[in-house]
Amino acid sequence: MLSREADFFWRYEFGEPHKVDGSLVWGVHMWPPVKVLFDVLDCARRRLPEQKRTAYLPLLADEAKHQEYLAEMLPMLRVSDAIPAEHEVTGLGAGNRTVDWVLGAAGTRRILFDVKRRFADFYSQMTDAVLTSGAPPAHDVQLLFRSVEPKFLAADPDNRLQGAWIVTDIKQDETELRTGFDALDPAKVHFAILGDAQSDMYILTRRPEDIPHLLSVFGASQSNRFVFDRRTCRPQTQPSKSEAVRITCDKFGVTSGFSDLKNCLVTY
């Protein structure tokens, strides 16, 4: 028996049930990995106090905001329950800004980070010219880091680590990504992570010794799934427009066996 909330979100992901030859079936949705949604709901149940959970669930159910608020829980899926965590914390960021997550108890070395769900670079790749060229992505990597730096005050990374967890569907050129990260204020932004619901992520830090600590806290492994090297990429054979659309649709469901956009989309 599904809980009231689980039943609601199941219907949100799969649509209303209908009958075929007397059997109850569910319609197909463009977001088949409903398990991620249930993991997020479980994480919200464990991590958010009742008042914040009550505010969070309608935002998650809002079609226009669903992806944004789904992403907000992804970094927490493998963080041990033994690690204290606070959501939407005031008083630690710049001005009256809130910080999405604060990990660790007061008086210890804490991790502060915001979660960003980025779509602009994905949309820029969906033009006819890009889809039919088979070329690796060319986009403004600074869009990933927009609004990250202003969230934080300067801090000693030995006292608290500050950064961002970024969810994006487009692979990033590793050199350009590093350049964009290096352009941020090093006193305010100590790390940036590209990640999703899986147990691997790509980490940028100011200091290499912070990488093992972050991997341990997030229960993850370092991965190159989110990056590519533009110098070694060559345009693929041009797909037809219908094939390009099918490749794009596969990104949101069926495992893609196509190679034309393999240098562009983050694979799951």
Side-chain angles (χ1 to χ4, degrees):
M1 186 82 173
L2 293 174
S3 70
R4 182 179 177 183
E5 286 129 345
D7 177 68
F8 173 82
F9 283 104
W10 180 276
R11 290 168 185 265
Y12 177 85
E13 289 291 321
F14 283 101
E16 293 294 327
H18 58 282
K19 287 189 175 182
V20 175
D21 295 331
S23 299
L24 192 65
V25 299
W26 293 86
V28 177
H29 193 275
M30 68 179 292
W31 247 167
V34 72
K35 180 183 181 299
V36 174
L37 178 65
F38 276 76
D39 288 342
V40 164
L41 288 171
D42 178 63
C43 184
R45 177 188 61 81
R46 291 183 292 107
R47 289 297 193 178
L48 300 183
E50 183 177 359
Q51 184 176 2
K52 288 189 176 182
R53 186 169 63 248
T54 300
Y56 172 77
L57 292 177
L59 294 171
L60 184 63
D62 185 332
E63 183 178 355
K65 300 179 180 179
H66 178 64
Q67 284 302 314
E68 177 185 348
Y69 285 94
L70 188 78
E72 200 162 289
M73 290 291 160
L74 299 184
M76 302 301 298
L77 295 184
R78 280 165 295 276
V79 175
S80 170
D81 287 349
I83 298 176
E86 297 178 74
H87 182 247
E88 294 289 350
V89 180
T90 59
L92 293 177
N96 60 357
R97 293 179 173 91
T98 60
V99 177
D100 286 342
W101 288 101
V102 176
L103 305 184
T108 66
R109 187 193 190 202
R110 307 172 92 181
I111 298 175
L112 284 62
F113 65 96
D114 253 23
V115 183
K116 304 296 185 183
R117 181 65 171 97
R118 299 307 196 197
F119 297 100
D121 54 357
F122 175 74
Y123 294 151
S124 72
Q125 302 305 305
M126 294 302 105
T127 64
D128 286 351
V130 175
L131 282 173
T132 57
S133 72
H139 54 271
D140 183 2
V141 72
Q142 293 292 349
L143 293 174
L144 293 183
F145 302 117
R146 188 181 67 247
S147 75
V148 172
E149 183 180 293
K151 271 292 186 85
F152 300 107
L153 299 169
D156 182 346
D158 285 328
N159 294 328
R160 67 187 197 194
L161 279 173
Q162 301 179 155
W165 177 294
I166 301 169
V167 182
T168 177
D169 300 299
I170 300 298
K171 288 188 177 185
Q172 309 295 317
D173 174 76
E174 198 164 13
T175 300
E176 294 169 5
L177 186 63
R178 183 79 222 186
T179 300
F181 175 71
D182 287 344
L184 300 174
D185 186 339
K188 294 181 178 181
V189 184
H190 307 136
F191 70 88
I193 293 172
L194 300 187
D196 50 36
Q198 296 194 44
S199 61
D200 61 327
M201 59 191 193
Y202 183 84
I203 307 178
L204 291 163
T205 61
R206 305 293 177 186
R207 312 180 310 178
E209 62 265 30
D210 291 328
I211 293 178
H213 178 60
L214 290 167
L215 289 173
S216 175
V217 168
F218 288 110
S221 58
Q222 177 77 297
S223 170
N224 287 323
R225 178 165 60 94
F226 303 90
V227 296
F228 72 99
D229 185 344
R230 191 179 305 282
R231 296 168 301 178
T232 63
C233 289
R234 290 176 297 179
Q236 308 295 314
T237 302
Q238 290 189 3
S240 65
K241 184 174 181 180
S242 61
E243 181 75 347
V245 170
R246 183 161 62 138
I247 294 168
T248 305
C249 291
D250 283 348
K251 167 67 184 66
F252 293 101
V254 180
T255 301
S256 177
F258 304 103
S259 62
D260 300 279
L261 295 183
K262 68 181 181 180
N263 292 324
C264 181
L265 299 177
V266 174
T267 56
Y268 293 87

